[in-house]
Amino acid sequence: MKAKIKAYAPSLYSLAKGCYWKYRNLNERFRGTGVQERYWSKRHLREGDDWGSRASTGDQNEWVQGYWDSRSHGHRQLMLEKVKAFGSVRSLLEIGCNCGPNLALIGKEYPKAELVGIDINPEAIEVGSRILGRDGLSNVRLLVRRADELREFQDKAFDLVLTDAVLIYIGPDKIEKVIAEMARLARRALIMIEFHADSAEGSNGLGIYHFGCWKRDYVEILRQCADDIREVRLTKIPEKAWNAANWKDLGYIIEALF
Ligand SMILES: C[S@@+](CC[C@H](N)C(=O)[O-])C[C@H]1O[C@@H](n2cnc3c(N)ncnc32)[C@H](O)[C@@H]1O
């Protein structure tokens, strides 16, 4: 009997796993991005650290602290190089900034630039504002907002608009609106660190569900959502900069230049 259970266990496990992902896919397909928005806006109520390492200090929420401690992660250096390639940058908006690890790096490089970060999670914004203030980064402002809630900013209000692992949580129901808003706000370029897949099979152009995230063809979708983009550049993130599952295969820095 034991031997029989052992023999069937791996296939039962993969069946259960298959059902789980099928359920999540259908849930997000039918209920839309709201599923992820609810998850992320309440992320601090669950235990755990998204960066897989224990927080270095005990005084902040461990989840947020994990993001702050990831400032030296390899992909952030690439992000900074991409920003610096634009030379002088007077303003930048990061969508889904969490507590601002990217903005802290950019802020040190550009102490006079106006840097704004928005995130759906109130605790990330509160803790981030406190840490950034403590570090003397007075030119960075963090706000609790949703990615599709950016009407308060004027057209072409920022030189650059940045996302890092955020559009992977925006489903087909909202992605066109979010990208069109980003294009409305950016004067010089969009920089997106996301899952890119060339005209992936089965895609309607808006995204293919991939283990809890959305991958899509950004060249195609940018073409659909913004008509003033003159060039799209794709840079594959090298494995040595980000060797996590999915990122090493699908992780790209996508730059849309106006
Ligand atoms: C994987 S984390 C990446 C955080 C940050 N960009 C970084 O590089 O560390 C995704 C972030 O996006 C935020 N987020 C998810 N969906 C969002 C939405 N619809 N609007 C605004 N922020 C969102 C989450 O709260 C979370 O902080």
Side-chain angles (χ1 to χ4, degrees):
M1 182 64 182
K2 239 184 185 175
K4 262 192 181 168
I5 293 176
K6 265 193 177 164
Y8 284 118
S11 36
L12 283 176
Y13 174 73
S14 37
L15 182 70
K17 211 167 130 190
C19 290
Y20 170 75
W21 285 115
K22 206 33 143 221
Y23 161 75
R24 282 199 49 177
N25 184 353
L26 288 174
N27 193 24
E28 283 190 42
R29 224 166 249 288
F30 290 113
R31 293 173 63 209
T33 301
V35 175
Q36 288 284 359
E37 289 169 347
R38 276 187 290 281
Y39 170 80
W40 282 106
S41 60
K42 304 217 170 348
R43 173 68 188 80
H44 54 291
L45 302 179
R46 295 160 183 253
E47 280 187 24
D49 173 357
D50 291 355
W51 282 93
S53 59
R54 295 277 110 184
S56 59
T57 64
D59 69 335
Q60 266 115 19
N61 178 288
E62 194 168 76
W63 166 69
V64 176
Q65 184 74 36
Y67 279 93
W68 184 251
D69 289 348
S70 72
R71 292 187 314 292
S72 56
H73 189 269
H75 90 281
R76 300 207 192 275
Q77 203 48 50
L78 292 180
M79 174 285 301
L80 194 58
E81 279 166 22
K82 291 291 183 194
V83 171
K84 281 164 67 179
F86 285 91
S88 107
V89 171
R90 282 175 300 160
S91 55
L92 177 146
L93 169 70
E94 182 177 4
I95 297 174
C97 61
N98 200 272
C99 58
N102 286 330
L103 292 169
L105 299 173
I106 299 167
K108 292 215 162 107
E109 205 61 50
Y110 294 97
K112 292 205 173 117
E114 181 208 356
L115 305 177
V116 179
I118 68 111
D119 198 284
I120 203 168
N121 186 281
E123 184 150 306
I125 294 298
E126 191 209 310
V127 173
S129 303
R130 204 168 348 117
I131 310 179
L132 291 163
R134 188 194 63 199
D135 276 19
L137 286 151
S138 54
N139 60 328
V140 185
R141 191 160 52 103
L142 304 187
L143 306 166
V144 181
R145 298 284 186 280
R146 269 197 344 242
D148 60 335
E149 239 188 359
L150 303 172
R151 279 185 306 271
E152 72 200 81
F153 300 113
Q154 290 183 352
D155 291 2
K156 305 292 172 195
F158 300 94
D159 277 346
L160 303 177
V161 174
L162 169 71
T163 67
D164 182 352
V166 177
L167 302 183
I168 57 175
Y169 302 115
I170 307 285
D173 58 322
K174 285 201 175 177
I175 190 66
E176 290 168 298
K177 181 175 180 198
V178 171
I179 290 188
E181 271 295 88
M182 289 168 60
R184 178 182 73 78
L185 296 175
R187 227 176 349 247
R188 297 175 67 189
L190 309 179
I191 302 177
M192 294 162 278
I193 303 174
E194 304 291 345
F195 288 169
H196 169 81
D198 287 334
S199 5
E201 209 185 306
S203 167
N204 54 3
L206 302 180
I208 296 180
Y209 197 68
H210 186 81
F211 300 107
C213 297
W214 295 95
K215 61 178 180 182
R216 48 180 68 92
D217 184 336
Y218 278 92
V219 179
E220 193 50 45
I221 198 159
L222 284 160
R223 207 170 280 142
Q224 284 170 30
C225 299
D227 48 19
D228 53 345
I229 292 174
R230 66 179 164 80
E231 188 185 344
V232 179
R233 291 186 198 150
L234 296 176
T235 310
K236 175 90 190 67
I237 301 176
E239 202 173 322
K240 65 175 178 353
W242 206 341
N243 69 359
N246 291 335
W247 284 101
K248 62 181 175 202
D249 301 323
L250 298 167
Y252 279 80
I253 302 185
I254 304 128
E255 294 167 277
L257 312 182
F258 294 94

